[in-house]
Each structure stands twice: as structure tokens, then as C-alpha cells.
Amino acid sequence: MSEHFGYSPSFKRPAEILRMRRKRARSEAGAGSTDSPEQSGSSPTCVRTFSPEPLSGAQNHFGVGIKRRNPFAKIENTYSPKKKRLTFNDASCNTENSDSSGIANNERDEESSKREGTLDLALSFRLDEAQEQEYRQASSQKSGSLSESDVLLEEEPEDIKNPLLKSPQATAPTAVAAPVCTQYPADWSLKTRLLLTSPVSLSWAEQLKAQEEAQGLSQHCRAQFSPLPHSPQDPRSCSELRCAFQQSLVYWQHPSIPWLSLFPRINAERSFFGKSAPWAHDATLQQSLMTEWSVSLSSLYSLLKARLCPYFYLCSYQFTVLFRAAGLGGSSSITAFISPTTRGLREAMKAEGIEFSLPLLEEERRCREAQKPTVHQEEEQKEQEVTCSELRDTVDGEEHDGDDRDEDSTLSWLKEMGVQDKIKKPDLHTLQLHKEGHVISLDHKPESVICVEGLHTFTLINFFINWKGVVASSGSQAGLPPTLLAPSAFRGATMHTLKSRCVNVRSQVGSSYQNISSLEITGPVLPSSLHAILTLLRPAQKGNFSAALYTHTPTAVMNIHSTKQQVSEASVELSSCGLHPASIQQLQQPSTLGKTALTHITMNNYSYTWKN
């Protein structure tokens, strides 16, 4: 065939077009058409090379060729950038238009491009004027004289009718970003150990310079918080980051005995065994220790009431108490949680007039009541029971009278035998224990946690100062006052810092080994210290680290809610309590952990995940 303008010998036809043409050739050969040998369907060369000219044997008696649609003549199928721009900038290009109007628009665009000379040729195969005239005549007839193969070529599927090219705004998939959690729930439990791991080195947190350590301690005492860089290139050379890390390790404690570890105190007899305890058998020394301890406890409560201290812990040998200022944990008043408790402690508090509640028991009771039938159903059930009992009394009255006579005869028989006096009756104390058996079974369990709120917390402070049971009378902790822990300074307190140690290890990840840096922090980790440390790791570790948290078991249940109504956010001013504003904002929220505590916290791409 003659070479047409714009024809490329390397052009590849779609397989669907070739299949249609082979099918059309076979249908024409079966109909007895008088085609040339080159166009015979039995010959391998029956597939005619593409040409926009009509077939020689496919003309009717009027000399007009049968309509032969060029599937590549649509402007959407071209690869000219200018034509692509025309497809979507021209208002006349609409997918709802008919095929004839779309082709006419393409022809007008082609004629205008030839006249003006501003656009490249869009079609790979151009039709001459005669062919264009024949094509218009065939399309205007709209007759049904087309063969089956022509109909198949004429009809376009939906995906071809629609524009093949779309705007970037329409084709670009809407990127659904993963939810980013920038905060973890507040955890009011005490931690005994933190194990931090990260693929980025944690060596910046060790071997602080003397100036950095001094500046960190000064910032803690003055409650100053310097701004931190968002993404430090070298954390080891970032003085602000290292000073803030030293500041986050500080806590205050009373009493302070250098050769004794005064936290934890519950089940810690082994740590006290064999250590020198000169106060154990000296009443004067014990009285002196208790006097200083009482002054420190009174000072802490005064700071708490003035909202200059956010919270503090009282760690005894048999229980732990958390005092929180008003506005923290979603409570509108000062709250105190004691866990675990015993029946003796609860009875002593009742004797002093201290009102308290058992939140977990009350929650369990509410759940049981919710499962019971409604009051209306209960009243109907009682009425039915009364009616049934009346009927039974009417019908079986004689039988009941006989039963009563049998009981009287049995008692009289026992009296005659003289055995009635020998039967042991339960005393009042046994009956009381049997009645309160479920209460006694709560001792030393998480469900025994009690909550004291409002002004009763002041009575609770006086109760601890005067109650002898707050100090062990025997054992390795005999005569030693409870440990007081707070994030801010108070009277008689000693400044302490958590111990940190950095180690680089190789961990197996799949089939290979990866260098992982770990940082171990030991000591009484307070909730605000945990939040400050993790906040520093966020920029220093490029938003990728994990933390294993080891909780002091008796304090895990302190994440429960108080019984009073929750207050709105920022309703109580706590800016002078000595904590970072971000830590205050977190601790103001009611905890969602219930009676559990966090065990793992992981940050991946600046997003938190946790386990409890």
C-alpha cells in the first residue's frame, strides 16, 4: 500500500482490531464476495494492512465506500501533548456527546490546526478530502445496512467513550494518611524500671558534662523549660537536649537514708535484710524520725492544696497512697487513692470519720444491677408471687398447720431429751464474719482500692500522722516511716535522680542482625518523669523508639476514675505546679486504662502505640 503521511511502519495494531478484521474477512468470504486473492480469507495474507482508503470490493453501486471507522481517529487516542491539553481545555469535548458530534469536533480542530499552523498533527492517519466526504455521507445515512463486523467496530465500549486521559486532580488517588497519635493515655502508676530501645544511638543520654548537669538541676528547681530543637542533627552535641534529660530525671524523696533503698516498700524485706537499722530498738530515734516525717507530709499537703505540687505518693510497708491536686485526672477536688487495703485499715478510717468509696466494687454492683430486670418487672413479679402464696395458703392451710405442729413436737422432744442446751449456737462475732465474708476476701487485692475526696483528704493526712499502723512494728522495716515521693521540692525532702545506663547490643531481626541502642532507667519513675523522658526521645530518635515499662504492682489500679463528676479541661489553673505544660495537659485528662497500667509504648514515624 502507498505510504501515507504520518504513517509509521513500526505501528502496532491492537489485537482486538486484528481479530475484528479477520472475522469480517471470513464473513465476506462466506458471503461469496469477489475480492482479490490478496484479500481472500483463506490466505494468510487476508489481514489487510491498515489504510484509511475504502476497500476496492466494498463499494456499492453509487460508488460510495461502506463506512469503515478508523478506531485511531479519536483525539483522545493521540499522544501529542498539545492535543491532550486541547482535550480538557476545550469546552466542546464532552463525554456525553454522540460519536458523530465528537468526530465533527475533531475534524474542525484538525482543519483549524492546518489553517493556523499552531498545533501538531494529532492523528496518525489522516483522511483526505474525498474520504472525509464519504465518511460524512455514511454517518448521515444512519441506516441499518452495516454488517455484523461493522456494527462491532462501530459500537464503542464505555471505557473508550470516556476520555482516556484525566486531569491530575481526578486521577490522583486520595492519599489516606495513617492516623497519627501524638499522645498516649495518662498512667498514674509508679514504674520501677524503663528499658528504652531505638535503632538510632542513645549515647547522647550518658556522660553529661558538669555544666549540663548543673543547668538541668537549676532548670528543675526553677521550673524552667528551654525550647528543644525539632530535629537535632547530632543529639550528642545538643546541649539543650542533654540538659532537659537531666532535668527529667530529678525527683524528691523523704526520708533519705544513703545505705537503704526506700522504694519500693511493699514486699521489700530482702532489700532491708542485713542492713544497719539503728532506729529499730531506739524509741527516741523512732520518735524523731516520725516528727520529721509528719512535718514533710504536712508541707506536701499544703503545697498540693495550693496547686504548687501536682501530686505525691506515700509508700508504706503495706499500702501505697496517691494524692492528686484538684484538676488532675478529671476531678474537681483533691483525691487520694489507697491500694491495697485491709479490713483493719478501713475500719480505722471509718472510726475517724473518713468517708471513702470502693470504686471497683461500686462499678461491679452497677453492672449487676444493669443486668437485673427493671423495677416494673420486679413489681409485677412480686404481685404474682403474693397471689400464688395466698392461693397456696388457702388450699394447703391444713398442711401448714400440720408442719407447725411437727416443728413444735420436735422442739419439745429435744427438750425432753435434754439435748437442746448442748447444741452450739453461732455467736455474734461469727455471724458478723460470715456476713462480711465477701468484704474480708478483698484484702490485699486490687479490688480493695479506696478513694477519698475533698475535705476528707485533710482528715486522712491527720489519720496517717497519728495512726500507729502506718509504721511496721516488727520486721526489717520496723520503726521506719513511709517514703514520700514528689516531682517538686517540699520541706525536709532530698533531691534524687534516676539512674541511667546506655548499652549498644546486636539484635536478630529476621535473618540478619541489627545494631540496637538501649537505655535503662531505674528508680521510682513518676508519671511526669515518664512523659518528659518520652517527649525528649521523640526528636532525638527521629520518631522511632520503644519503651518497656515495669510497673509497681500495687499502683497499677490507680488509673481508675473517682466517683465525683468529671470537670472540663483547663477548668483549674495548674501552671505553677512545676511541670511542663504538655505534662499538665496530659495528666488533666481522665485515664482510660481502668485498673490496668501501661507495659509497652512504641513510637513509629512520630505516632504512639501502647499495650496495657
Side-chain angles (χ1 to χ4, degrees), residues 63-196:
V64 181
I66 300 175
K67 184 171 110 176
R68 192 75 67 197
R69 175 102 180 257
N70 182 4
F72 301 98
K74 292 197 68 174
I75 194 170
E76 291 86 353
N77 293 329
T78 62
Y79 290 89
S80 174
K82 295 183 179 180
K83 288 298 178 181
K84 291 180 183 179
R85 187 166 58 250
L86 277 178
T87 303
F88 297 99
N89 291 342
D90 191 0
S92 63
C93 183
N94 191 354
T95 57
E96 297 180 357
N97 295 339
S98 60
D99 293 342
S100 59
S101 62
I103 295 173
N105 290 335
N106 294 338
E107 292 171 354
R108 286 195 298 270
D109 293 337
E110 186 178 3
E111 292 175 358
S112 62
S113 63
K114 288 189 294 183
R115 288 194 303 269
E116 297 176 1
T118 57
L119 298 177
D120 296 334
L121 294 178
L123 305 177
S124 300
F125 304 96
R126 298 181 56 190
L127 302 176
D128 53 10
E129 296 179 0
Q131 293 168 352
E132 290 177 357
Q133 186 176 3
E134 294 174 359
Y135 182 79
R136 290 193 184 95
Q137 292 176 0
S139 60
S140 60
Q141 292 177 1
K142 296 183 181 289
S143 61
S145 61
L146 297 177
S147 64
E148 181 182 1
S149 60
D150 293 334
V151 173
L152 291 174
L153 285 174
E154 180 66 19
E155 295 179 354
E156 288 184 346
E158 293 182 359
D159 56 347
I160 298 179
K161 289 183 180 180
N162 294 332
L164 298 180
L165 299 176
K166 298 182 180 179
S167 62
Q169 293 81 3
T171 57
T174 56
V176 180
V180 178
C181 184
T182 59
Q183 197 58 268
Y184 60 91
D187 188 355
W188 288 100
S189 62
L190 284 171
K191 309 298 179 183
T192 58
R193 180 169 171 256
L194 300 181
L195 184 59
L196 309 169

Side-chain angles (χ1 to χ4, degrees), residues 563-574:
T563 56
K564 286 191 176 181
Q565 186 178 2
Q566 306 298 316
V567 298
S568 60
E569 300 179 6
S571 59
V572 181
E573 181 63 32
L574 292 167

Side-chain angles (χ1 to χ4, degrees), residues 396-416:
D396 303 330
E398 297 180 356
E399 296 181 2
H400 287 286
D401 294 339
D403 294 339
D404 294 339
R405 287 194 295 269
D406 292 338
E407 292 178 0
D408 294 339
S409 62
T410 304
L411 292 175
S412 62
W413 179 76
L414 290 174
K415 290 179 181 179
E416 292 176 359

